[in-house]
């Protein structure tokens, strides 16, 4: 699957992913691929990507929630019903 397909695949599982995040997972050897990002022949193995999301989905979601809360604090949103 392509990175675009991987993004949609992750989103269907409730995980917000973008090209940068998936690229990082690829560079960190978290998911199996063939081809290369550099020459645009990359193909993400759907089975290994699905297994990675199944295994790490809860912790990914938790980290994303924490990052969102931190961002909201930084921009001054406190959730006070403004």
């Amino acid at each position: 699957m392509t990175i675009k397909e991987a993004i949609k695949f992750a989103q269907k599982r409730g995980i917000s992913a973008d090209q940068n995040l998936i690229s990082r997972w690829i560079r960190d050897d978290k998911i199996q691929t063939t081809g290369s990002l550099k020459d645009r022949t990359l193909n993400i193995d759907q089975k290994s990507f699905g297994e990675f999301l199944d295994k790490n989905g809860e912790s990914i979601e938790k980290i994303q929630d924490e990052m969102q809360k931190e961002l909201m604090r930084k921009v001054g949103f406190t959730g006070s019903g403004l």
Side-chain angles (χ1 to χ4, degrees):
M1 78 176 65
T2 65
I3 288 183
K4 277 187 175 183
E5 292 169 332
I7 292 169
K8 289 179 184 176
F9 187 79
Q11 288 173 342
K12 286 180 183 177
R13 292 172 177 240
I15 297 170
S16 177
D18 63 11
Q19 183 172 347
N20 293 328
L21 183 58
I22 291 177
S23 295
R24 190 176 88 208
W25 289 337
I26 292 168
R27 282 191 306 274
D28 293 346
D29 290 326
K30 303 286 186 189
I31 51 179
Q32 295 177 359
T33 62
T34 57
S36 168
L37 276 171
K38 292 179 183 176
D39 65 10
R40 297 180 181 252
T41 61
L42 181 75
N43 186 37
I44 298 168
D45 180 73
Q46 184 172 351
K47 182 180 178 192
S48 74
F49 187 53
E51 289 170 354
F52 172 75
L53 293 178
D54 289 344
K55 182 179 177 183
N56 299 291
E58 190 174 311
S59 62
I60 292 168
E61 290 174 8
K62 183 178 177 182
I63 291 168
Q64 288 177 334
D65 285 345
E66 289 171 8
M67 290 171 62
Q68 181 69 24
K69 288 175 186 175
E70 180 65 25
L71 177 63
M72 295 305 249
R73 278 193 294 273
K74 285 182 179 181
V75 297
F77 180 76
T78 61
S80 59
L82 297 175

